[in-house]
Each structure stands twice: as structure tokens, then as C-alpha cells.
Amino acid sequence: TLARGLNYYTGAIFEVKALDVQIGSITGGGRYDNLTGVFGMDGVSGVGISFGADRIFDVLNQLELYPADSLKTTQLLFVNFGEKEESYLLPIIAKVRAAGIRTELFPEAAKMKKQMGYADTKKIPFVAIVGETEMNEGKINLKNMITGEQKPVTVEELIAQF
């Protein structure tokens, strides 16, 4: 009763379907004899399988099967003002991550509006702003994206807050 749409299968074929979801198969495959002959390797048989990553993702979403830990996202975004600030921030970011805080550095020096928009879109609750003034003072301007409150803190104070 099962028919795969590829004509190179020569033996048993199989499909895997998720229960309680109307999506079709999420995995499929079968046996093929001498498929490698097309590529100059006659006489080699095999069995193949493929997984539909998009379909598996859809099933996990629909059935709400993601573990709670996998849904944890970035807690703190460091704004990127350029190479000088980036070099200054990398050791700080390593220290913050070592303390277990899920942290990102915006990947490029972009306008502040774009970086703040990114934080809003990803629902990142805190943004760290470090420019020349903050570097000279050894501080981090920490902005709470929910309340809008902004205050200068040391690295240790930042870590303690989380």
C-alpha cells in the first residue's frame, strides 16, 4: 500500500509518520540495487533513509514537544559600535558567558536603532551598551528592555544581577 515517488528503489521501502498529526511522512527510504552503477560503481547495493527536518520541526511545534531548556533564548545583547569596542568586549562576554548568562554580541557595527530593534524582535530582556566613555570608566550601561531603566554597572554587578 506504500509507494515512494522515486523509481530507483528495488526492494523494501518505508516511511515514518508522526501520530496525532496530519502531515504525512517525516522520514522515508528503502533498498536500492546497483544505484551506484549510474556513477561508475557497478554491483553495489544499499539502503537509504532521509529525514524531513522541516516536517519534524512542524510536528514538534504542533505537539508542543520542545524541552523547556531548548526554548531559552539570549538574556543579554551587547551593542556593537565597532572594532575597538568589539575587542574590548570579547573578554567581558567570555566572562559573562562563563557565569551562565546567555549572551550575544551584535554581529556588526550597525545603527543603534537596528540593534535595539533586533533585541526587541528577539525579546532579549537586557542590552549592554559600551562606548568610549564606558570603556574609560570600566562600566557597562545596562538597559532593561522591559522597563526602559538604564544604569551603569561593573562586570561583577552585571553578573550578580542575573
Side-chain angles (χ1 to χ4, degrees), residues 3-11 13 30-35 38:
R4 303 278 308 149
L6 303 171
N7 63 0
Y8 56 73
Y9 291 115
T10 57
I13 58 173
R31 177 181 172 84
Y32 42 87
D33 293 321
N34 202 27
L35 177 63
V38 176

Side-chain angles (χ1 to χ4, degrees), residues 78-153:
F78 278 85
V79 170
N80 189 338
F81 287 119
E83 287 182 30
K84 181 179 172 186
E85 291 82 359
E86 216 174 276
S87 295
Y88 177 84
L89 288 173
L90 289 176
I92 293 171
I93 291 170
K95 189 174 185 179
V96 171
R97 285 178 177 161
I101 301 165
R102 296 180 305 277
T103 306
E104 279 184 54
L105 171 63
F106 197 79
E108 61 184 350
K111 292 184 178 184
M112 180 73 91
K113 183 177 181 179
K114 179 178 181 179
Q115 295 186 56
M116 291 298 193
Y118 173 82
D120 274 337
T121 300
K122 286 193 67 179
K123 296 186 178 7
I124 300 172
F126 292 93
V127 173
I129 303 164
V130 179
E132 197 166 325
T133 303
E134 290 81 10
M135 288 191 303
N136 291 336
E137 295 174 0
K139 298 278 187 167
I140 297 166
N141 226 340
L142 185 63
K143 179 172 181 157
N144 182 323
M145 295 296 284
I146 297 163
T147 65
E149 180 188 351
Q150 192 167 310
K151 64 181 178 183
V153 296

Side-chain angles (χ1 to χ4, degrees), residues 16-77:
V16 176
K17 290 187 168 199
L19 299 176
D20 303 324
V21 178
Q22 296 294 325
I23 197 167
S25 65
I26 58 174
T27 301
R31 177 181 172 84
Y32 42 87
D33 293 321
N34 202 27
L35 177 63
T36 56
V38 176
F39 305 104
M41 294 180 63
D42 289 331
V44 179
S45 297
V47 175
I49 185 171
S50 68
F51 297 89
D54 288 346
R55 288 180 172 222
I56 292 170
F57 177 79
D58 290 342
V59 167
L60 290 172
N61 274 335
Q62 193 170 346
L63 297 178
E64 297 178 2
L65 293 175
Y66 282 106
D69 285 354
S70 72
L71 300 175
K72 291 181 179 174
T73 60
T74 303
Q75 295 170 289
L76 175 65
L77 172 71

